[in-house]
Amino acid sequence: MFLSLPRSATALALALGLAAVVATAASPAAAQTGAWRDVSPPGSDGSVLFDVETTRGTTWAVGLRSDDTTRPFAPVAMRWTGTGWQAPPQPADHGRLDELAAGAPDEVWAVGTRYDAVDDTDWGRGSALLQHWNGTAWTEVALPFPEGATDTSLSAVAVDEGGSVWVYGGYTDAAGQYVQALFRGDADGEADADGDGGWTRLPGDTGLNWVSQLEAGPGGVLHAVGDGVSRFDGTSWTKQSLPPTLDGALFDGIQTRTADDIWAVGHIRDEKLWRHPVVVRFDGRAWRTVRTPAETGQLYDIAFDGSGRPVVVGETMNPEVDPDGNYVLTPGPRGFLTRTEEPPGAGFLYGAATDAAGRVWTVGGTAGAEGGISPGRTRASAAEPPEP
């Protein structure tokens, strides 16, 4: 996920603290709020996590670490074992991982940026980084960018129900023009007769200026969010019509429940609030605005707990809203999205996902730039869920 607020600046503003939170969501009939429990990895100072995904009992989180040895960053990918976190070796020594997608425990993909040294004191602008976890190790995967392409970048990745991998990015062509790129790959990544490693380059012109996240839905349909929402039908992209009051809105997260129930979250600039949280929902006919609080907030991701309750995460720069900066919206007693939950120890929150037990995981940076991951456990209906 390439955040609408540049992540490099965001990470530094956090003083590179790390946090992640996990909750089991209650049924709205049983409770309106969730209790969060801290599952922070030890020794995570100087790190921040940008995304989290779960599949078939496996949970991964990715981000970056910065200290005197990383210059400027080192990529981080951590796997939850049930009792703690493991961080397998990374194929890139210097870089960052911004988003991941998981189709199975042995089919996990992450995208980000690799940095290479120019000299002893300077680093290049970075290049596209795609990694694959095969159940044993992470490896770097090459994409078939055109010959002569420079300034390659990747910002989004998704895995569809058939196991195909979709990767979005861009590059500068030989004429000096920026070109959007969309790649579809086989899950096994085996080389084909053309030598492109099983990858196909597809139309990448989304109608958006930038893309922060891809979502693979039923029937092979893709949605992309960034400075708007766009839909790919397998052949071409169509920018979606949003309510006119959202002209200029920026989106960072999207979640497909069904073909007729799709949610996107982000923010819109506001003269009084600076940034106002935005949530839109597609009902099969049109995209409609979902009511959010009139307060300073920026939303990055959305997940639905085991009861179907939306949990939207982000950040606020207004200490009167939350002094630690974390921002979580869930349905209140009247059904409107409201801020009633605060994961302990968490600062800005960037990613959210739901596991098979209905627990919601969220990751980001800790309050006060210390290191920690924070979760929660609450009742589903009237029954206490099993220990995470």
Side-chain angles (χ1 to χ4, degrees), residues 136-210:
T136 304
W138 285 99
T139 57
E140 187 171 353
V141 178
L143 288 171
F145 284 102
E147 185 177 353
T150 60
D151 298 327
T152 59
S153 63
L154 298 175
S155 63
V157 60
V159 177
D160 65 25
E161 57 189 6
S164 293
V165 184
W166 300 81
V167 182
Y168 174 86
Y171 61 92
T172 300
D173 65 15
Q177 299 296 313
Y178 178 76
V179 180
Q180 295 178 320
L182 177 68
F183 302 93
R184 184 186 64 218
D186 300 332
D188 57 18
E190 293 181 358
D192 58 12
D194 296 329
D196 284 337
W199 295 95
T200 302
R201 195 163 72 245
L202 297 168
D205 187 0
T206 60
L208 309 176
N209 292 313
W210 54 271

Side-chain angles (χ1 to χ4, degrees), residues 323-334:
D324 294 329
N326 73 70
Y327 195 72
V328 180
L329 298 181
T330 56
R334 299 176 59 189

Side-chain angles (χ1 to χ4, degrees), residues 27 35 42 52 58 65 77 98 103 108 112 161 192 207 242 244 265 324 352 357 372 380:
S27 165
V52 59
T58 299
R65 175 174 55 86
D98 293 311
V108 183
E161 57 189 6
D192 58 12
L242 301 178
V265 302
D324 294 329

Side-chain angles (χ1 to χ4, degrees), residues 92-288:
D93 293 329
H94 305 283
R96 54 189 291 150
L97 296 174
D98 293 311
E99 190 178 11
L100 75 158
D106 59 351
E107 287 295 339
V108 183
W109 299 81
V111 297
T113 304
R114 165 190 282 278
Y115 294 104
D116 294 304
V118 175
D119 53 42
D120 291 340
T121 60
D122 191 19
W123 292 82
R125 298 176 59 181
S127 58
L129 176 61
L130 173 64
Q131 295 186 180
H132 176 234
W133 172 262
N134 63 4
T136 304
W138 285 99
T139 57
E140 187 171 353
V141 178
L143 288 171
F145 284 102
E147 185 177 353
T150 60
D151 298 327
T152 59
S153 63
L154 298 175
S155 63
V157 60
V159 177
D160 65 25
E161 57 189 6
S164 293
V165 184
W166 300 81
V167 182
Y168 174 86
Y171 61 92
T172 300
D173 65 15
Q177 299 296 313
Y178 178 76
V179 180
Q180 295 178 320
L182 177 68
F183 302 93
R184 184 186 64 218
D186 300 332
D188 57 18
E190 293 181 358
D192 58 12
D194 296 329
D196 284 337
W199 295 95
T200 302
R201 195 163 72 245
L202 297 168
D205 187 0
T206 60
L208 309 176
N209 292 313
W210 54 271
V211 168
S212 62
Q213 191 172 6
L214 284 180
E215 176 79 354
V221 172
L222 284 182
H223 281 87
V225 293
D227 55 328
V229 181
S230 193
R231 181 182 186 272
F232 184 67
D233 61 6
T235 303
S236 61
W237 290 92
T238 303
K239 188 174 182 179
Q240 302 294 282
S241 177
L242 301 178
T245 55
L246 296 183
D247 184 31
L250 304 176
F251 295 92
D252 285 300
I254 185 169
Q255 181 70 44
T256 298
R257 305 201 71 203
T258 68
D260 295 334
D261 189 10
I262 307 171
W263 298 59
V265 302
H267 75 278
I268 192 168
R269 295 186 183 276
D270 187 282
E271 291 183 359
K272 295 182 179 179
L273 300 175
W274 186 56
R275 295 187 177 194
H276 185 283
V278 168
V279 178
V280 293
R281 183 181 186 181
F282 180 71
D283 61 9
R285 293 173 296 177
W287 289 89
R288 307 183 191 278

